[in-house]
Amino acid sequence: MKEPQPDRHQNIAMIAGVALFLAAIAAGVTWWRVSFDTDQPPQIISPEPPETTDAIEKTVNIYWVDEADNQLVWVPNPVTLTVSASQPDTVLAAAFDRLLSGPQEANQYSEIPPGTQLLNVTATEAGAIAIDLSTEFTTGGGSASMIGRLGQVVYTATSLDPLAPVRISVNGLPLEVLGGEGLEIPQPITRQQFEQDFR
């Protein structure tokens, strides 16, 4: 009499059970190594910082020139600019960009030569203002024109702080004399000194 042969389906089930058992052991070992492996630092995912904007609106006076009783006068023109609150120099830079682009209205006049560019502007913690202009600032016009443009720069630069001293340079060099007639420029210059020397 023959021994009964084991059922083929039983063999497959037993092999599958052993395979599942071994896979579970392998997965457990892998989990254990990843969780407790001290050689690899834990991965830290930092959230992206939220986008912030620090734009603010600031009103400054830009100064144009006019004539009254045969004398030059400087006329303030308030302009509201959108600038960066974290970079205070941008207020003055935006004001000078507007000034150097020339008058926007028919009754506004400028003695600053066309093509004059702002090369740099900085405001120090002590309150002093440094303005660096391109060479065009020194070209053309007589003494009245030179005084007119100097006043525009001084008054516009001190729009936020009328007591601030201003240092003016051209292409990085201190402006000591302006124009062919030799208009001497004190450095630094304040509004008070400008009015005392040139008005």
mmCIF file of all heavy atoms in Angstrom, residues 84-110:
data_model
loop_
_atom_site.group_PDB
_atom_site.id
_atom_site.type_symbol
_atom_site.label_atom_id
_atom_site.label_comp_id
_atom_site.label_asym_id
_atom_site.label_seq_id
_atom_site.Cartn_x
_atom_site.Cartn_y
_atom_site.Cartn_z
ATOM 1 N N SER A 84 11.549 100.407 0.696
ATOM 2 C CA SER A 84 11.786 99.323 1.644
ATOM 3 C C SER A 84 12.029 99.907 3.032
ATOM 4 O O SER A 84 12.908 100.751 3.209
ATOM 5 C CB SER A 84 12.991 98.499 1.203
ATOM 6 O OG SER A 84 13.373 97.614 2.223
ATOM 7 N N ALA A 85 11.248 99.431 4.015
ATOM 8 C CA ALA A 85 11.401 99.925 5.387
ATOM 9 C C ALA A 85 12.724 99.485 5.998
ATOM 10 O O ALA A 85 13.272 100.160 6.861
ATOM 11 C CB ALA A 85 10.238 99.432 6.245
ATOM 12 N N SER A 86 13.267 98.356 5.562
ATOM 13 C CA SER A 86 14.502 97.837 6.140
ATOM 14 C C SER A 86 15.750 98.475 5.531
ATOM 15 O O SER A 86 16.850 98.240 5.994
ATOM 16 C CB SER A 86 14.570 96.323 5.966
ATOM 17 O OG SER A 86 14.585 95.994 4.594
ATOM 18 N N GLN A 87 15.568 99.288 4.488
ATOM 19 C CA GLN A 87 16.702 99.958 3.848
ATOM 20 C C GLN A 87 16.389 101.446 3.712
ATOM 21 O O GLN A 87 15.867 101.896 2.695
ATOM 22 C CB GLN A 87 16.976 99.344 2.472
ATOM 23 C CG GLN A 87 17.361 97.880 2.563
ATOM 24 C CD GLN A 87 17.508 97.252 1.195
ATOM 25 O OE1 GLN A 87 16.797 97.590 0.265
ATOM 26 N NE2 GLN A 87 18.419 96.317 1.074
ATOM 27 N N PRO A 88 16.679 102.234 4.761
ATOM 28 C CA PRO A 88 16.298 103.643 4.745
ATOM 29 C C PRO A 88 16.922 104.438 3.604
ATOM 30 O O PRO A 88 16.358 105.435 3.166
ATOM 31 C CB PRO A 88 16.768 104.159 6.112
ATOM 32 C CG PRO A 88 17.743 103.149 6.611
ATOM 33 C CD PRO A 88 17.368 101.845 5.991
ATOM 34 N N ASP A 89 18.096 104.000 3.100
ATOM 35 C CA ASP A 89 18.726 104.732 1.994
ATOM 36 C C ASP A 89 17.853 104.721 0.739
ATOM 37 O O ASP A 89 17.990 105.592 -0.120
ATOM 38 C CB ASP A 89 20.093 104.122 1.655
ATOM 39 C CG ASP A 89 21.090 104.306 2.801
ATOM 40 O OD1 ASP A 89 20.787 105.076 3.730
ATOM 41 O OD2 ASP A 89 22.151 103.688 2.761
ATOM 42 N N THR A 90 16.970 103.728 0.641
ATOM 43 C CA THR A 90 16.141 103.650 -0.563
ATOM 44 C C THR A 90 15.169 104.810 -0.665
ATOM 45 O O THR A 90 14.725 105.152 -1.758
ATOM 46 C CB THR A 90 15.355 102.325 -0.621
ATOM 47 O OG1 THR A 90 14.494 102.241 0.524
ATOM 48 C CG2 THR A 90 16.288 101.135 -0.657
ATOM 49 N N VAL A 91 14.824 105.433 0.466
ATOM 50 C CA VAL A 91 13.938 106.600 0.432
ATOM 51 C C VAL A 91 14.626 107.727 -0.321
ATOM 52 O O VAL A 91 14.061 108.323 -1.247
ATOM 53 C CB VAL A 91 13.562 107.050 1.862
ATOM 54 C CG1 VAL A 91 12.678 108.288 1.811
ATOM 55 C CG2 VAL A 91 12.876 105.933 2.618
ATOM 56 N N LEU A 92 15.874 108.027 0.078
ATOM 57 C CA LEU A 92 16.620 109.100 -0.589
ATOM 58 C C LEU A 92 16.964 108.736 -2.023
ATOM 59 O O LEU A 92 16.924 109.591 -2.911
ATOM 60 C CB LEU A 92 17.900 109.419 0.194
ATOM 61 C CG LEU A 92 17.701 110.148 1.526
ATOM 62 C CD1 LEU A 92 19.029 110.309 2.247
ATOM 63 C CD2 LEU A 92 17.055 111.504 1.315
ATOM 64 N N ALA A 93 17.294 107.478 -2.251
ATOM 65 C CA ALA A 93 17.620 107.061 -3.619
ATOM 66 C C ALA A 93 16.419 107.258 -4.533
ATOM 67 O O ALA A 93 16.553 107.760 -5.657
ATOM 68 C CB ALA A 93 18.072 105.599 -3.631
ATOM 69 N N ALA A 94 15.230 106.887 -4.055
ATOM 70 C CA ALA A 94 14.023 107.059 -4.862
ATOM 71 C C ALA A 94 13.719 108.539 -5.082
ATOM 72 O O ALA A 94 13.309 108.951 -6.172
ATOM 73 C CB ALA A 94 12.841 106.369 -4.186
ATOM 74 N N ALA A 95 13.955 109.363 -4.049
ATOM 75 C CA ALA A 95 13.725 110.803 -4.183
ATOM 76 C C ALA A 95 14.667 111.405 -5.226
ATOM 77 O O ALA A 95 14.255 112.215 -6.065
ATOM 78 C CB ALA A 95 13.915 111.489 -2.834
ATOM 79 N N PHE A 96 15.943 111.004 -5.194
ATOM 80 C CA PHE A 96 16.909 111.552 -6.154
ATOM 81 C C PHE A 96 16.658 111.033 -7.568
ATOM 82 O O PHE A 96 16.862 111.755 -8.543
ATOM 83 C CB PHE A 96 18.348 111.279 -5.700
ATOM 84 C CG PHE A 96 18.894 112.403 -4.870
ATOM 85 C CD1 PHE A 96 18.733 112.406 -3.493
ATOM 86 C CD2 PHE A 96 19.533 113.480 -5.455
ATOM 87 C CE1 PHE A 96 19.203 113.449 -2.718
ATOM 88 C CE2 PHE A 96 20.022 114.532 -4.697
ATOM 89 C CZ PHE A 96 19.855 114.521 -3.314
ATOM 90 N N ASP A 97 16.229 109.796 -7.675
ATOM 91 C CA ASP A 97 15.872 109.295 -9.013
ATOM 92 C C ASP A 97 14.762 110.146 -9.613
ATOM 93 O O ASP A 97 14.789 110.488 -10.797
ATOM 94 C CB ASP A 97 15.433 107.829 -8.934
ATOM 95 C CG ASP A 97 16.615 106.879 -8.771
ATOM 96 O OD1 ASP A 97 17.759 107.305 -9.040
ATOM 97 O OD2 ASP A 97 16.398 105.721 -8.368
ATOM 98 N N ARG A 98 13.788 110.510 -8.787
ATOM 99 C CA ARG A 98 12.684 111.357 -9.262
ATOM 100 C C ARG A 98 13.193 112.765 -9.595
ATOM 101 O O ARG A 98 12.824 113.340 -10.612
ATOM 102 C CB ARG A 98 11.601 111.411 -8.187
ATOM 103 C CG ARG A 98 10.360 112.194 -8.584
ATOM 104 C CD ARG A 98 9.535 111.472 -9.644
ATOM 105 N NE ARG A 98 9.021 110.202 -9.168
ATOM 106 C CZ ARG A 98 7.850 110.064 -8.548
ATOM 107 N NH1 ARG A 98 7.088 111.110 -8.341
ATOM 108 N NH2 ARG A 98 7.467 108.875 -8.157
ATOM 109 N N LEU A 99 14.068 113.310 -8.734
ATOM 110 C CA LEU A 99 14.620 114.647 -8.974
ATOM 111 C C LEU A 99 15.430 114.688 -10.268
ATOM 112 O O LEU A 99 15.270 115.598 -11.097
ATOM 113 C CB LEU A 99 15.509 115.067 -7.794
ATOM 114 C CG LEU A 99 16.266 116.397 -7.952
ATOM 115 C CD1 LEU A 99 15.300 117.574 -7.945
ATOM 116 C CD2 LEU A 99 17.302 116.556 -6.849
ATOM 117 N N LEU A 100 16.289 113.694 -10.471
ATOM 118 C CA LEU A 100 17.185 113.702 -11.624
ATOM 119 C C LEU A 100 16.473 113.346 -12.922
ATOM 120 O O LEU A 100 17.007 113.596 -14.008
ATOM 121 C CB LEU A 100 18.356 112.736 -11.386
ATOM 122 C CG LEU A 100 19.252 113.091 -10.194
ATOM 123 C CD1 LEU A 100 20.358 112.062 -10.011
ATOM 124 C CD2 LEU A 100 19.842 114.489 -10.334
ATOM 125 N N SER A 101 15.267 112.794 -12.822
ATOM 126 C CA SER A 101 14.508 112.514 -14.051
ATOM 127 C C SER A 101 13.872 113.779 -14.615
ATOM 128 O O SER A 101 13.333 113.763 -15.715
ATOM 129 C CB SER A 101 13.444 111.444 -13.791
ATOM 130 O OG SER A 101 12.452 111.928 -12.907
ATOM 131 N N GLY A 102 13.938 114.872 -13.850
ATOM 132 C CA GLY A 102 13.453 116.155 -14.346
ATOM 133 C C GLY A 102 12.021 116.436 -13.932
ATOM 134 O O GLY A 102 11.315 115.562 -13.437
ATOM 135 N N PRO A 103 11.603 117.680 -14.124
ATOM 136 C CA PRO A 103 10.251 118.086 -13.719
ATOM 137 C C PRO A 103 9.172 117.307 -14.458
ATOM 138 O O PRO A 103 9.322 116.965 -15.627
ATOM 139 C CB PRO A 103 10.204 119.577 -14.093
ATOM 140 C CG PRO A 103 11.622 119.999 -14.246
ATOM 141 C CD PRO A 103 12.376 118.794 -14.693
ATOM 142 N N GLN A 104 8.082 117.047 -13.740
ATOM 143 C CA GLN A 104 6.954 116.338 -14.327
ATOM 144 C C GLN A 104 5.846 117.292 -14.762
ATOM 145 O O GLN A 104 4.971 116.922 -15.531
ATOM 146 C CB GLN A 104 6.383 115.344 -13.303
ATOM 147 C CG GLN A 104 7.412 114.405 -12.689
ATOM 148 C CD GLN A 104 8.008 113.436 -13.683
ATOM 149 O OE1 GLN A 104 7.287 112.837 -14.462
ATOM 150 N NE2 GLN A 104 9.325 113.304 -13.681
ATOM 151 N N GLU A 105 5.870 118.517 -14.248
ATOM 152 C CA GLU A 105 4.817 119.486 -14.537
ATOM 153 C C GLU A 105 5.403 120.735 -15.179
ATOM 154 O O GLU A 105 6.578 121.059 -14.997
ATOM 155 C CB GLU A 105 4.062 119.842 -13.254
ATOM 156 C CG GLU A 105 3.384 118.635 -12.606
ATOM 157 C CD GLU A 105 2.719 118.970 -11.286
ATOM 158 O OE1 GLU A 105 2.466 120.172 -11.031
ATOM 159 O OE2 GLU A 105 2.459 118.037 -10.514
ATOM 160 N N ALA A 106 4.557 121.442 -15.887
ATOM 161 C CA ALA A 106 5.006 122.595 -16.688
ATOM 162 C C ALA A 106 5.537 123.735 -15.823
ATOM 163 O O ALA A 106 6.397 124.499 -16.247
ATOM 164 C CB ALA A 106 3.855 123.089 -17.561
ATOM 165 N N ASN A 107 5.044 123.864 -14.593
ATOM 166 C CA ASN A 107 5.476 124.980 -13.738
ATOM 167 C C ASN A 107 6.662 124.613 -12.849
ATOM 168 O O ASN A 107 6.993 125.340 -11.924
ATOM 169 C CB ASN A 107 4.301 125.460 -12.875
ATOM 170 C CG ASN A 107 3.808 124.389 -11.919
ATOM 171 O OD1 ASN A 107 4.069 123.202 -12.111
ATOM 172 N ND2 ASN A 107 3.092 124.812 -10.889
ATOM 173 N N GLN A 108 7.298 123.474 -13.102
ATOM 174 C CA GLN A 108 8.464 123.053 -12.330
ATOM 175 C C GLN A 108 9.719 123.216 -13.186
ATOM 176 O O GLN A 108 9.712 122.910 -14.376
ATOM 177 C CB GLN A 108 8.314 121.594 -11.884
ATOM 178 C CG GLN A 108 7.152 121.360 -10.946
ATOM 179 C CD GLN A 108 6.923 119.879 -10.664
ATOM 180 O OE1 GLN A 108 7.353 119.014 -11.428
ATOM 181 N NE2 GLN A 108 6.235 119.592 -9.574
ATOM 182 N N TYR A 109 10.796 123.698 -12.544
ATOM 183 C CA TYR A 109 12.052 123.928 -13.264
ATOM 184 C C TYR A 109 13.215 123.332 -12.479
ATOM 185 O O TYR A 109 13.209 123.315 -11.249
ATOM 186 C CB TYR A 109 12.277 125.429 -13.480
ATOM 187 C CG TYR A 109 11.134 126.088 -14.207
ATOM 188 C CD1 TYR A 109 10.126 126.726 -13.496
ATOM 189 C CD2 TYR A 109 11.038 126.032 -15.602
ATOM 190 C CE1 TYR A 109 9.061 127.319 -14.148
ATOM 191 C CE2 TYR A 109 9.970 126.616 -16.262
ATOM 192 C CZ TYR A 109 8.981 127.258 -15.535
ATOM 193 O OH TYR A 109 7.912 127.819 -16.191
ATOM 194 N N SER A 110 14.209 122.878 -13.197
ATOM 195 C CA SER A 110 15.396 122.299 -12.573
ATOM 196 C C SER A 110 16.640 122.891 -13.203
ATOM 197 O O SER A 110 16.686 123.135 -14.408
ATOM 198 C CB SER A 110 15.403 120.773 -12.751
ATOM 199 O OG SER A 110 16.577 120.217 -12.183
#
